[in-house]
Each structure stands twice: as structure tokens, then as C-alpha cells.
Amino acid sequence: MANFFSDNKDLQFHLQHPLMRKIVELKERGFAEKDLYDYAPQDFDDAMDNYRRVLEIAGEVCGEVIAPNAEGVDHEGPRVVDDHVEYASGTVENMKAVVDAGLSGMTLPRKYDGLNFPLICFVMANEMVARADASFENIWGLQDCAETLNEFASEEIKQKYLPWVSAGATCAMDLTEPDAGSDLGAVMLKATWSEERQTWLLNGVKRFITNGDGEVSLVLARTEEGTTDARGLSMLVYDKRDGGVKVRRIENKLGIKGSPTCELVFTNAPAELVGDRKMGLIKYVMSLMNAARLGIGAQSTGLSEAAYREALKYAQERMQFGKPIIEFPAVAEMLSNMKAKLYGSRAMLYETTRFVEIYKDYTHLSHDRKLTPEERAEMKTYTRLADAFTQMVGEQLSAMPAGFVDYYLAMVGAVQLPQAEGIDLLHGVLEAQERAQLLEETLALQNTMLRLSLPTMIASSSLYSGILCCHVPSTMLARRGADIEHKTLDKWRLGR
């Protein structure tokens, strides 16, 4: 049986990171709930065993249900029926599978029927779902919107929405508008208070909203009349059961077609205020983006994992000149390049996730008691690291799958060339000058990480060693005092 967790040793490796002990202690608050819930862990080892078991279940669902449905979902796609989204039949089957497996509300507290898992487990599940079907990851992964409610909403709102998310309710972030894309400060959807109905009413249009017809939506809206900048924006939560929102259309995208990207029309749609007025963009969306960037990073890494495995399988099976094309140096070089970038991106993704996890855990802890000076200092450090690295994850990892496609197309094109000289032409993709430039960029990145006190990222991943071994000419490594065992390196390059 296919299992996307059991077959990925690198993913399992990152679950064993030394910081996990600290993360578990913060998340479990000294295992205070071990006698309150029968599924709460008793100690660190029990917690880690829980994480592994649930991730194995997630891996099985991805391998046995979501991945086989992916092609059908892409062909069928969602549609608009009576002003609402109707998912593809495969997506409906996927949703039932993940809900039945208990994979909703993974990071939410147990008092809201969640699993109270660390963020890193959720991101790992995200990666596996994206490897199976990136469009379904867009739908399922949006449950992290509930984390914003858990962090900033009133207890009344939490009690209303969080158990619903844990039971499988879908979510959406309603941010962008026709005239407010990257410039979210220009959002003009109006939220007005109704004395008669004792609620906020939303009126306006949102566009390019992923899973826009979700059951629980976080909506960025203008609550302060007469304002035109970010200081007039607040965050509100909308319940689809209350009505007032219609799906005007679903965008016809190039890819991830199973995920409905919607244009929404709000007409006196009732909503509830999250947190304080005027803080919607300045505070709440910024926090929301940290989690969203991790989701994009997980989606990109999952796509890259799928692309690498497909390319490796093809190169091992495709025969030319009496041998599999993986034995040609140019093809082996492309595969090793893919593998190094994949492992490096995964290392960055999970190190960043740990930063976000720790600062958020301290934030929640500060609501229950006063932090010690040491805890406040540590929270400040991890907050700064999270702010810096989430941007890197969002920017760098999201561009990686496109590069993997280029390698795969080049590999397929290489075997179609009638003469062996064509292989040499492809080898020009990674000439010595380009690899030398990559070395300098890698060393610069290493120095940046060391300045930020991140030795664990360098030591525990192949980001540094993998890229150097794969891409730098051996003469340059020799000049830097490197000692390379070519036989071992060749075996690693060929993915054996």
C-alpha cells in the first residue's frame, strides 16, 4: 500500500529534530491534560509516537485515496451551482477520507475537539497532501485559518467555530479584491454595524479567493467609514450558513483546477468581529500570512517531491544506447540537482516552521500567565526569526517546482535527440561557471544562517552539503580543502 510518510525518510528525519522536545513541552504545558483526555500524551515519547502514528495515517490517505483521485479531479474540476461551489466528485471523496481519518483541526486545542499537534505535524501533512494533489492541499490546508481565530478571537467565537473546523468544516481567507491585490491596504469591502440585527453586515466584492465558498471565512473589510488606508481595516469571520454571499464565477486557471478560485459578491452578509477594530491588516493578516507562507512552502515542497520521484522513475526505466538514461552524466546531474534543492528546501521549510511554532506557543502561554524574562527574550528571538524566514520560504520555495519541470522536460527532450552529441548540449545547463555562482550563493546563505544562530539547520540537513557535492566542480572543492569520495558521491547522484 502506498504511504507518503513511510516512503519518505527525509520527512521522518525532520520529525526527530532536537527542538521537538522543547516544542512538545510548550505545546503540552507539562502534559497537564493527560488525565483529562484519553488521547492526550503522557510524556514526550508518547507524544512523538502519537505524531508518527497520525502522520502514517495521513500518508496512507494521501497515497491510497488523494493521489489516485488527482487526475480525475483535474479533469472534472469544481463548478458553480445555484451561486455556490460544487466540488469535483474526487474532492468530495478526499474530504470524507481526511475527516474520517481525524485529520481536521490538527493544531487546535483539545477543548475544541482538536488534536493539539505542533504546527510541524500539520505542515508535514500539508506536504504529503500536496504531493498527492496540490489542488486539494489548497482546500484542506486552509484549516490553518482557524489558528488565527484561536489566537485572536473571543471565547464565544472560538466555541462556535473551532469545533466545527475540527469536525471538517472548510475555510477561506477573503482578502483580495478587483482593485486590491498585493495592495491590501486598498481593500474597500464595507462592514457596517446594524443596530437592528446587532451584527456586522458585509457588502462588496472579493476576487481570486481560494476555496471562496468555504464554510468558515476570514474576511478583511473596512469598518471605519471615511478611511482609505490600512488603519480602517478589521478582520471578521463569516459563517456560510448565514447566507448573504454568492459565487459569481470560478476562475479558469492553468493548474490546480480542483481548487475553486472564486469571485464573491457580499450582500448584507452577517459577520462577527475578530479581535480589535482597525487591526485587521496591521496585526491579524500579518499573523495569518506566517501560516499561509508555510502552507505555500509545504505545497511547493510536496510538488517538488512528486516531480523528483517521477523524474527518477522515468530516468531509471527509459533505455537509450543500451542502458537507462540515468547513467548518462547530464541526466544524473539534473537529478542530483533536483534532489539537493528538494532536501534543502525541506530543511528550510521545517526549520522555519519550528520558529513559528515556538513563538506562537509562547504567545498562547502569555495569555495564561506572565512570561519570565528569559521566556520573553526567547519569544522575541523566535518572532524575529519567524518573520524573516517565512518571507524566504514564501518567496524561494514557491518558485522551485517550476524549475523542476524544466529539468524534467530537458530530460525527456534529451532522449529524443538522435545523436549522442545532444547530451553534451544539455550538459551546458550546469556549466562550471553557473555551478561556481551557485557555490558563492550557497556560502552567502550559510553565512547568513550562522549570523542568525541557526547551526542546527546547517548540521541537520543536506542544504549545504548536498548542494556543494552535487553542483560544485571537484577542483573548486579541492581548493577549499574538501575531501570527496567519488564512488560514494556517484552513487548518491544516481539516486541509488
Side-chain angles (χ1 to χ4, degrees):
M1 296 176 66
N3 189 308
F4 286 5
F5 182 73
S6 299
D7 72 358
N8 193 328
K9 300 300 182 184
D10 196 41
L11 202 59
Q12 298 171 45
F13 168 77
H14 283 286
L15 187 61
Q16 305 301 320
H17 193 278
L19 269 180
M20 285 303 297
R21 186 170 291 276
K22 181 180 188 64
I23 288 171
V24 170
E25 290 173 357
L26 286 171
K27 194 72 177 176
E28 292 297 335
R29 309 280 183 87
F31 304 97
E33 295 182 340
K34 63 181 180 181
D35 297 324
L36 299 177
Y37 301 92
D38 57 4
Y39 61 96
Q42 301 295 304
D43 51 34
F44 172 75
D45 291 334
D46 191 23
M48 293 300 295
D49 184 61
N50 285 350
Y51 302 159
R52 280 189 294 269
R53 289 176 182 270
V54 171
L55 287 172
E56 286 173 359
I57 293 172
E60 183 177 339
V61 171
C62 290
E64 293 294 319
V65 180
I66 301 174
N69 284 338
E71 185 175 356
V73 168
D74 193 61
H75 285 300
E76 182 182 351
R79 56 181 181 154
V80 178
V81 178
D82 296 329
D83 300 320
H84 291 287
V85 169
E86 187 176 283
Y87 292 125
S89 57
T91 302
V92 175
E93 184 181 346
N94 294 343
M95 286 299 303
K96 183 179 185 306
V98 296
V99 172
D100 289 348
L103 299 177
S104 300
M106 287 185 69
T107 62
L108 294 179
R110 295 185 185 91
K111 68 177 180 178
Y112 304 120
D113 301 331
L115 295 179
N116 199 51
F117 275 19
L119 189 58
I120 194 159
C121 295
F122 175 63
V123 175
M124 286 184 172
N126 254 322
E127 180 190 331
M128 291 187 288
V129 172
R131 174 183 161 189
D133 181 1
S135 66
F136 185 68
E137 189 275 338
N138 270 6
I139 299 171
W140 178 81
L142 278 168
Q143 64 176 276
D144 64 4
C145 291
E147 271 301 314
T148 299
L149 293 178
N150 186 41
E151 190 169 353
F152 301 111
S154 66
E155 185 60 31
E156 181 182 0
I157 289 178
K158 292 180 186 179
Q159 291 288 351
K160 177 180 178 180
Y161 290 101
L162 298 188
W164 191 21
V165 174
S166 295
T170 57
C171 300
M173 295 184 295
D174 298 359
L175 305 180
T176 59
E177 298 180 3
D179 296 316
S182 301
D183 182 15
L184 286 178
V187 160
M188 294 306 294
L189 185 135
K190 291 184 178 179
T192 55
W193 176 255
S194 171
E195 288 291 344
E196 179 183 355
R197 299 176 61 177
Q198 287 296 296
T199 189
W200 291 90
L201 299 179
L202 305 176
N203 288 277
V205 177
K206 291 288 185 181
R207 182 177 290 175
F208 305 132
I209 306 303
T210 301
N211 197 41
D213 201 28
E215 292 161 306
V216 179
S217 297
L218 296 180
V219 184
L220 185 64
R222 191 163 296 281
T223 55
E224 313 308 309
E225 191 173 352
T227 62
T228 58
D229 59 12
R231 289 170 292 184
L233 298 174
S234 301
M235 180 70 75
L236 299 99
V237 58
Y238 163 75
D239 185 338
K240 180 181 176 179
R241 297 171 295 190
D242 292 334
V245 177
K246 294 182 179 180
V247 179
R248 179 179 287 172
R249 71 169 183 266
I250 295 175
E251 303 293 340
N252 183 22
K253 306 187 297 294
L254 180 64
I256 55 174
K257 289 180 174 290
S259 166
T261 304
C262 305
E263 181 169 309
L264 308 174
V265 179
F266 290 75
T267 307
N268 288 330
E272 299 167 85
L273 183 68
V274 175
D276 300 321
R277 290 170 64 168
K278 304 181 183 181
M279 302 300 289
L281 180 59
I282 297 171
K283 183 176 182 180
Y284 306 139
V285 170
M286 292 299 102
S287 176
L288 187 63
M289 285 299 100
N290 272 345
R293 284 168 176 153
L294 292 177
I296 293 299
Q299 185 182 53
S300 301
T301 305
L303 279 168
S304 299
E305 176 74 32
Y308 170 71
R309 287 174 181 265
E310 188 69 23
L312 180 62
K313 180 175 179 288
Y314 180 85
Q316 290 171 334
E317 294 176 352
R318 174 68 176 180
M319 302 292 293
Q320 287 290 283
F321 305 102
K323 58 183 177 181
I325 64 170
I326 195 172
E327 296 185 16
F328 292 104
V331 174
E333 184 111 27
M334 285 189 287
L335 285 167
S336 60
N337 188 27
M338 292 173 75
K339 188 170 185 178
K341 286 187 175 182
L342 170 61
Y343 279 31
S345 70
R346 184 176 286 125
M348 177 177 285
L349 171 64
Y350 292 120
E351 189 73 353
T352 305
T353 303
R354 286 184 279 268
F355 297 155
V356 175
E357 173 71 42
I358 292 174
Y359 102 76
K360 282 187 175 291
D361 285 344
Y362 274 129
T363 299
H364 287 300
L365 187 61
S366 68
H367 296 160
D368 296 337
R369 66 167 175 82
K370 185 178 180 180
L371 299 180
T372 66
E374 293 79 11
E375 290 172 333
R376 286 198 303 271
E378 195 167 43
M379 177 181 173
K380 184 176 181 180
T381 298
Y382 280 105
T383 300
R384 291 169 60 189
L385 289 170
D387 289 344
F389 272 77
T390 49
Q391 294 184 53
M392 292 172 63
V393 165
E395 293 168 3
Q396 300 299 322
L397 270 61
S398 61
M400 191 172 63
F404 275 39
V405 171
D406 289 341
Y407 282 123
Y408 182 68
L409 291 177
M411 191 185 307
V412 173
V415 302
Q416 295 173 346
L417 293 173
Q419 299 178 359
E421 290 81 14
I423 302 295
D424 295 329
L425 293 176
L426 275 178
H427 197 62
V429 174
L430 290 171
E431 285 297 341
Q433 184 176 0
E434 183 179 337
R435 296 197 295 272
Q437 181 181 354
L438 180 59
L439 169 64
E440 299 304 324
E441 293 173 357
T442 305
L443 292 175
L445 179 60
Q446 180 201 28
N447 291 334
T448 301
M449 293 175 189
L450 290 173
R451 286 198 302 272
L452 290 171
S453 301
L454 303 179
T456 55
M457 184 173 179
I458 300 299
S460 67
S461 77
S462 57
L463 175 62
Y464 180 60
S465 60
I467 289 179
L468 288 189
C469 290
C470 282
H471 305 288
V472 182
S474 57
T475 52
M476 183 173 291
L477 284 174
R479 288 200 301 271
R480 293 182 178 272
D483 181 20
I484 298 179
E485 176 55 57
H486 291 286
K487 182 180 296 185
T488 302
L489 176 58
D490 287 342
K491 289 181 66 177
W492 189 89
R493 282 172 141 178
L494 296 178
R496 295 177 176 174

